[in-house]
Tab-separated table of all heavy atoms in Angstrom:
chain	number	residue	atom	x	y	z
A	142	GLY	N	-80.167	79.029	-61.132
A	142	GLY	CA	-78.728	79.072	-61.344
A	142	GLY	C	-78.015	77.750	-61.130
A	142	GLY	O	-76.794	77.713	-60.994
A	143	MET	N	-78.737	76.642	-61.119
A	143	MET	CA	-78.114	75.335	-60.930
A	143	MET	C	-77.240	75.014	-62.141
A	143	MET	O	-77.689	75.125	-63.282
A	143	MET	CB	-79.198	74.258	-60.774
A	143	MET	CG	-78.649	72.857	-60.654
A	143	MET	SD	-79.942	71.586	-60.665
A	143	MET	CE	-80.648	71.847	-59.050
A	144	PRO	N	-75.993	74.616	-61.928
A	144	PRO	CA	-75.122	74.245	-63.055
A	144	PRO	C	-75.702	73.066	-63.837
A	144	PRO	O	-76.320	72.163	-63.263
A	144	PRO	CB	-73.810	73.838	-62.382
A	144	PRO	CG	-73.856	74.449	-61.024
A	144	PRO	CD	-75.296	74.515	-60.645
A	145	ALA	N	-75.518	73.064	-65.140
A	145	ALA	CA	-76.069	72.019	-66.003
A	145	ALA	C	-75.599	70.624	-65.613
A	145	ALA	O	-76.341	69.653	-65.745
A	145	ALA	CB	-75.717	72.308	-67.457
A	146	VAL	N	-74.412	70.503	-65.108
A	146	VAL	CA	-73.845	69.187	-64.791
A	146	VAL	C	-74.587	68.473	-63.652
A	146	VAL	O	-74.518	67.252	-63.545
A	146	VAL	CB	-72.335	69.306	-64.490
A	146	VAL	CG1	-72.075	70.011	-63.172
A	146	VAL	CG2	-71.656	67.961	-64.533
A	147	ILE	N	-75.324	69.203	-62.808
A	147	ILE	CA	-76.049	68.555	-61.708
A	147	ILE	C	-77.571	68.629	-61.885
A	147	ILE	O	-78.324	68.349	-60.963
A	147	ILE	CB	-75.642	69.115	-60.329
A	147	ILE	CG1	-75.958	70.605	-60.211
A	147	ILE	CG2	-74.183	68.822	-60.045
A	147	ILE	CD1	-75.810	71.148	-58.800
A	148	ARG	N	-78.023	68.962	-63.087
A	148	ARG	CA	-79.465	68.981	-63.359
A	148	ARG	C	-79.947	67.555	-63.619
A	148	ARG	O	-79.290	66.788	-64.317
A	148	ARG	CB	-79.775	69.858	-64.564
A	148	ARG	CG	-79.487	71.314	-64.296
A	148	ARG	CD	-79.774	72.169	-65.495
A	148	ARG	NE	-79.388	73.538	-65.215
A	148	ARG	CZ	-79.479	74.524	-66.091
A	148	ARG	NH1	-79.945	74.281	-67.311
A	148	ARG	NH2	-79.107	75.732	-65.758
A	149	PRO	N	-81.107	67.184	-63.083
A	149	PRO	CA	-81.616	65.826	-63.299
A	149	PRO	C	-82.128	65.639	-64.729
A	149	PRO	O	-82.519	66.613	-65.390
A	149	PRO	CB	-82.755	65.711	-62.291
A	149	PRO	CG	-83.227	67.108	-62.090
A	149	PRO	CD	-82.003	67.968	-62.223
A	150	SER	N	-82.159	64.399	-65.191
A	150	SER	CA	-82.657	64.096	-66.541
A	150	SER	C	-84.184	64.129	-66.602
A	150	SER	O	-84.762	64.213	-67.679
A	150	SER	CB	-82.145	62.732	-67.001
A	150	SER	OG	-82.582	61.721	-66.112
A	151	ALA	N	-84.841	64.044	-65.450
A	151	ALA	CA	-86.303	64.146	-65.344
A	151	ALA	C	-86.625	64.948	-64.087
A	151	ALA	O	-85.821	64.995	-63.151
A	151	ALA	CB	-86.932	62.761	-65.260
A	152	THR	N	-87.770	65.580	-64.054
A	152	THR	CA	-88.182	66.363	-62.888
A	152	THR	C	-88.233	65.475	-61.650
A	152	THR	O	-88.716	64.350	-61.700
A	152	THR	CB	-89.554	67.000	-63.132
A	152	THR	OG1	-89.449	67.874	-64.260
A	152	THR	CG2	-90.035	67.786	-61.924
A	153	ARG	N	-87.703	65.971	-60.540
A	153	ARG	CA	-87.700	65.236	-59.269
A	153	ARG	C	-88.580	65.970	-58.270
A	153	ARG	O	-88.476	67.185	-58.109
A	153	ARG	CB	-86.280	65.132	-58.702
A	153	ARG	CG	-85.270	64.528	-59.647
A	153	ARG	CD	-85.580	63.086	-59.938
A	153	ARG	NE	-84.585	62.554	-60.859
A	153	ARG	CZ	-84.815	61.566	-61.682
A	153	ARG	NH1	-85.991	60.993	-61.709
A	153	ARG	NH2	-83.869	61.127	-62.483
A	154	ASN	N	-89.450	65.224	-57.606
A	154	ASN	CA	-90.329	65.771	-56.574
A	154	ASN	C	-89.955	65.145	-55.241
A	154	ASN	O	-89.921	63.924	-55.113
A	154	ASN	CB	-91.789	65.468	-56.900
A	154	ASN	CG	-92.229	66.179	-58.153
A	154	ASN	OD1	-92.282	67.397	-58.191
A	154	ASN	ND2	-92.519	65.429	-59.201
A	155	LEU	N	-89.667	65.986	-54.263
A	155	LEU	CA	-89.226	65.528	-52.954
A	155	LEU	C	-90.100	66.144	-51.873
A	155	LEU	O	-90.651	67.230	-52.037
A	155	LEU	CB	-87.771	65.939	-52.720
A	155	LEU	CG	-86.787	65.571	-53.829
A	155	LEU	CD1	-85.518	66.386	-53.702
A	155	LEU	CD2	-86.496	64.097	-53.796
A	156	VAL	N	-90.228	65.466	-50.750
A	156	VAL	CA	-91.000	65.951	-49.619
A	156	VAL	C	-90.157	65.776	-48.374
A	156	VAL	O	-89.420	64.805	-48.244
A	156	VAL	CB	-92.317	65.155	-49.448
A	156	VAL	CG1	-93.076	65.615	-48.225
A	156	VAL	CG2	-93.171	65.284	-50.690
A	157	GLY	N	-90.261	66.713	-47.445
A	157	GLY	CA	-89.631	66.478	-46.163
A	157	GLY	C	-88.751	67.571	-45.619
A	157	GLY	O	-88.368	67.516	-44.473
A	158	ALA	N	-88.427	68.582	-46.403
A	158	ALA	CA	-87.624	69.669	-45.875
A	158	ALA	C	-88.469	70.501	-44.917
A	158	ALA	O	-89.626	70.783	-45.185
A	158	ALA	CB	-87.101	70.553	-46.996
A	159	VAL	N	-87.907	70.873	-43.792
A	159	VAL	CA	-88.628	71.716	-42.846
A	159	VAL	C	-88.270	73.166	-43.130
A	159	VAL	O	-87.107	73.541	-43.137
A	159	VAL	CB	-88.290	71.351	-41.388
A	159	VAL	CG1	-88.984	72.300	-40.426
A	159	VAL	CG2	-88.685	69.914	-41.101
A	160	CYS	N	-89.278	73.964	-43.404
A	160	CYS	CA	-89.102	75.394	-43.637
A	160	CYS	C	-89.978	76.148	-42.647
A	160	CYS	O	-90.764	75.549	-41.920
A	160	CYS	CB	-89.516	75.745	-45.063
A	160	CYS	SG	-88.459	75.027	-46.324
A	161	THR	N	-89.840	77.448	-42.629
A	161	THR	CA	-90.656	78.298	-41.763
A	161	THR	C	-91.506	79.208	-42.631
A	161	THR	O	-91.011	79.824	-43.569
A	161	THR	CB	-89.759	79.148	-40.845
A	161	THR	OG1	-88.950	78.278	-40.077
A	161	THR	CG2	-90.580	80.005	-39.917
A	162	ASP	N	-92.782	79.269	-42.329
A	162	ASP	CA	-93.708	80.144	-43.039
A	162	ASP	C	-94.451	80.979	-42.002
A	162	ASP	O	-95.276	80.467	-41.253
A	162	ASP	CB	-94.684	79.309	-43.870
A	162	ASP	CG	-95.611	80.162	-44.713
A	162	ASP	OD1	-95.387	81.383	-44.805
A	162	ASP	OD2	-96.555	79.609	-45.282
A	163	ASN	N	-94.099	82.249	-41.923
A	163	ASN	CA	-94.734	83.177	-40.991
A	163	ASN	C	-94.598	82.691	-39.546
A	163	ASN	O	-95.544	82.724	-38.765
A	163	ASN	CB	-96.204	83.393	-41.367
A	163	ASN	CG	-96.758	84.678	-40.790
A	163	ASN	OD1	-96.020	85.565	-40.391
A	163	ASN	ND2	-98.067	84.780	-40.744
A	164	GLY	N	-93.409	82.177	-39.226
A	164	GLY	CA	-93.116	81.746	-37.869
A	164	GLY	C	-93.558	80.338	-37.523
A	164	GLY	O	-93.364	79.872	-36.407
A	165	ILE	N	-94.148	79.614	-38.477
A	165	ILE	CA	-94.624	78.252	-38.232
A	165	ILE	C	-93.779	77.278	-39.043
A	165	ILE	O	-93.596	77.466	-40.249
A	165	ILE	CB	-96.111	78.112	-38.626
A	165	ILE	CG1	-96.959	79.059	-37.776
A	165	ILE	CG2	-96.585	76.669	-38.487
A	165	ILE	CD1	-98.389	79.176	-38.230
A	166	ASP	N	-93.267	76.234	-38.393
A	166	ASP	CA	-92.507	75.207	-39.109
A	166	ASP	C	-93.456	74.365	-39.948
A	166	ASP	O	-94.521	73.952	-39.477
A	166	ASP	CB	-91.752	74.304	-38.130
A	166	ASP	CG	-90.598	75.028	-37.462
A	166	ASP	OD1	-90.142	76.058	-38.009
A	166	ASP	OD2	-90.144	74.568	-36.417
A	167	ILE	N	-93.075	74.131	-41.198
A	167	ILE	CA	-93.906	73.366	-42.126
A	167	ILE	C	-93.051	72.324	-42.841
A	167	ILE	O	-91.842	72.450	-42.920
A	167	ILE	CB	-94.570	74.283	-43.181
A	167	ILE	CG1	-93.497	75.035	-43.971
A	167	ILE	CG2	-95.563	75.229	-42.553
A	167	ILE	CD1	-93.993	75.754	-45.199
A	168	ILE	N	-93.695	71.309	-43.352
A	168	ILE	CA	-93.033	70.355	-44.230
A	168	ILE	C	-93.202	70.892	-45.650
A	168	ILE	O	-94.317	71.178	-46.089
A	168	ILE	CB	-93.658	68.948	-44.120
A	168	ILE	CG1	-93.545	68.426	-42.701
A	168	ILE	CG2	-93.025	67.991	-45.123
A	168	ILE	CD1	-92.127	68.236	-42.213
A	169	SER	N	-92.099	71.020	-46.367
A	169	SER	CA	-92.138	71.588	-47.703
A	169	SER	C	-92.028	70.522	-48.778
A	169	SER	O	-91.482	69.454	-48.554
A	169	SER	CB	-90.991	72.573	-47.894
A	169	SER	OG	-91.143	73.665	-47.050
A	170	ARG	N	-92.572	70.864	-49.933
A	170	ARG	CA	-92.367	70.066	-51.136
A	170	ARG	C	-91.298	70.768	-51.963
A	170	ARG	O	-91.278	71.998	-52.051
A	170	ARG	CB	-93.651	69.962	-51.945
A	170	ARG	CG	-94.729	69.185	-51.234
A	170	ARG	CD	-95.951	69.047	-52.082
A	170	ARG	NE	-96.472	70.389	-52.415
A	170	ARG	CZ	-97.628	70.591	-52.982
A	170	ARG	NH1	-98.399	69.581	-53.297
A	170	ARG	NH2	-98.051	71.809	-53.237
A	171	ILE	N	-90.423	69.977	-52.553
A	171	ILE	CA	-89.349	70.520	-53.378
A	171	ILE	C	-89.450	69.877	-54.747
A	171	ILE	O	-89.549	68.655	-54.866
A	171	ILE	CB	-87.970	70.211	-52.780
A	171	ILE	CG1	-87.854	70.783	-51.371
A	171	ILE	CG2	-86.854	70.731	-53.677
A	171	ILE	CD1	-86.626	70.312	-50.635
A	172	THR	N	-89.441	70.690	-55.790
A	172	THR	CA	-89.413	70.187	-57.155
A	172	THR	C	-88.124	70.666	-57.798
A	172	THR	O	-87.818	71.857	-57.759
A	172	THR	CB	-90.623	70.695	-57.969
A	172	THR	OG1	-91.818	70.263	-57.322
A	172	THR	CG2	-90.593	70.166	-59.386
A	173	ILE	N	-87.358	69.730	-58.354
A	173	ILE	CA	-86.123	70.067	-59.058
A	173	ILE	C	-86.378	69.813	-60.532
A	173	ILE	O	-86.591	68.678	-60.958
A	173	ILE	CB	-84.941	69.226	-58.560
A	173	ILE	CG1	-84.777	69.405	-57.052
A	173	ILE	CG2	-83.663	69.620	-59.301
A	173	ILE	CD1	-83.783	68.481	-56.425
A	174	GLY	N	-86.373	70.870	-61.315
A	174	GLY	CA	-86.673	70.770	-62.738
A	174	GLY	C	-85.444	70.495	-63.588
A	174	GLY	O	-84.313	70.750	-63.173
A	175	THR	N	-85.684	69.986	-64.762
A	175	THR	CA	-84.588	69.722	-65.696
A	175	THR	C	-83.946	71.017	-66.190
A	175	THR	O	-82.854	70.997	-66.732
A	175	THR	CB	-85.095	68.911	-66.895
A	175	THR	OG1	-86.151	69.629	-67.533
A	175	THR	CG2	-85.588	67.541	-66.467
A	176	ASP	N	-84.624	72.143	-65.972
A	176	ASP	CA	-84.084	73.454	-66.356
A	176	ASP	C	-83.189	74.045	-65.274
A	176	ASP	O	-82.664	75.139	-65.418
A	176	ASP	CB	-85.212	74.421	-66.673
A	176	ASP	CG	-86.187	74.612	-65.509
A	176	ASP	OD1	-86.025	73.943	-64.453
A	176	ASP	OD2	-87.117	75.418	-65.660
A	177	GLY	N	-83.031	73.308	-64.148
A	177	GLY	CA	-82.158	73.774	-63.086
A	177	GLY	C	-82.842	74.661	-62.062
A	177	GLY	O	-82.185	75.263	-61.223
A	178	VAL	N	-84.166	74.744	-62.092
A	178	VAL	CA	-84.904	75.556	-61.137
A	178	VAL	C	-85.407	74.658	-60.007
A	178	VAL	O	-86.025	73.627	-60.252
A	178	VAL	CB	-86.088	76.289	-61.805
A	178	VAL	CG1	-86.913	77.033	-60.766
A	178	VAL	CG2	-85.577	77.240	-62.868
A	179	ILE	N	-85.133	75.059	-58.770
A	179	ILE	CA	-85.638	74.361	-57.590
A	179	ILE	C	-86.805	75.182	-57.058
A	179	ILE	O	-86.656	76.366	-56.765
A	179	ILE	CB	-84.543	74.232	-56.511
A	179	ILE	CG1	-83.357	73.433	-57.046
A	179	ILE	CG2	-85.105	73.583	-55.248
A	179	ILE	CD1	-82.154	73.411	-56.121
A	180	SER	N	-87.974	74.548	-56.949
A	180	SER	CA	-89.175	75.224	-56.453
A	180	SER	C	-89.518	74.694	-55.072
A	180	SER	O	-89.548	73.483	-54.856
A	180	SER	CB	-90.357	74.976	-57.387
A	180	SER	OG	-90.092	75.502	-58.658
A	181	LEU	N	-89.766	75.597	-54.145
A	181	LEU	CA	-90.171	75.250	-52.790
A	181	LEU	C	-91.632	75.607	-52.620
A	181	LEU	O	-92.061	76.686	-53.020
A	181	LEU	CB	-89.339	76.038	-51.773
A	181	LEU	CG	-87.832	75.950	-51.910
A	181	LEU	CD1	-87.166	76.938	-50.970
A	181	LEU	CD2	-87.360	74.540	-51.640
A	182	GLN	N	-92.397	74.696	-52.035
A	182	GLN	CA	-93.816	74.947	-51.822
A	182	GLN	C	-94.199	74.536	-50.419
A	182	GLN	O	-93.653	73.585	-49.865
A	182	GLN	CB	-94.656	74.144	-52.821
A	182	GLN	CG	-94.354	74.481	-54.254
A	182	GLN	CD	-95.021	73.516	-55.206
A	182	GLN	OE1	-95.172	72.351	-54.912
A	182	GLN	NE2	-95.430	74.016	-56.353
A	183	ASN	N	-95.172	75.241	-49.866
A	183	ASN	CA	-95.735	74.869	-48.580
A	183	ASN	C	-96.427	73.522	-48.768
A	183	ASN	O	-97.276	73.371	-49.640
A	183	ASN	CB	-96.732	75.932	-48.130
A	183	ASN	CG	-97.336	75.643	-46.782
A	183	ASN	OD1	-97.615	74.510	-46.436
A	183	ASN	ND2	-97.549	76.694	-46.018
A	184	GLY	N	-96.055	72.529	-47.983
A	184	GLY	CA	-96.581	71.183	-48.146
A	184	GLY	C	-98.063	71.053	-47.882
A	184	GLY	O	-98.699	70.111	-48.336
A	185	LEU	N	-98.659	72.005	-47.169
A	185	LEU	CA	-100.086	71.928	-46.866
A	185	LEU	C	-100.936	72.641	-47.914
A	185	LEU	O	-101.860	72.077	-48.465
A	185	LEU	CB	-100.360	72.516	-45.481
A	185	LEU	CG	-99.661	71.825	-44.320
A	185	LEU	CD1	-99.931	72.568	-43.020
A	185	LEU	CD2	-100.118	70.373	-44.218
A	186	SER	N	-100.603	73.882	-48.189
A	186	SER	CA	-101.450	74.674	-49.088
A	186	SER	C	-100.839	74.883	-50.465
A	186	SER	O	-101.518	75.320	-51.380
A	186	SER	CB	-101.726	76.044	-48.464
A	186	SER	OG	-100.525	76.798	-48.397
A	187	GLY	N	-99.550	74.601	-50.621
A	187	GLY	CA	-98.893	74.820	-51.901
A	187	GLY	C	-98.224	76.169	-52.019
A	187	GLY	O	-97.322	76.346	-52.808
A	188	THR	N	-98.680	77.150	-51.229
A	188	THR	CA	-98.081	78.485	-51.296
A	188	THR	C	-97.727	78.968	-49.894
A	188	THR	O	-98.307	78.547	-48.907
A	188	THR	CB	-99.040	79.500	-51.940
A	188	THR	OG1	-100.242	79.548	-51.175
A	188	THR	CG2	-99.377	79.122	-53.369
């Protein structure tokens, strides 16, 4: 649901957000697509 006006012109890959997975803090990978979809992944295993 990202508005078109703030979508990047190329896919952006970022690292460093701290998330929680089953009670454990993890470093997450974030991918921001040109289609406006932000994907969050576990930085260690990907899922």
Side-chain angles (χ1 to χ4, degrees):
M143 177 187 288
V146 70
I147 62 170
R148 293 179 184 178
S150 60
T152 299
R153 305 294 180 207
N154 295 295
L155 309 162
V156 177
V159 176
C160 294
T161 302
D162 184 10
N163 201 18
I165 299 170
D166 290 340
I167 59 169
I168 300 297
S169 295
R170 294 183 300 190
I171 302 170
T172 301
I173 304 172
T175 58
D176 58 357
V178 175
I179 299 172
S180 298
L181 307 172
Q182 300 170 326
N183 182 323
L185 299 176
S186 67
T188 59

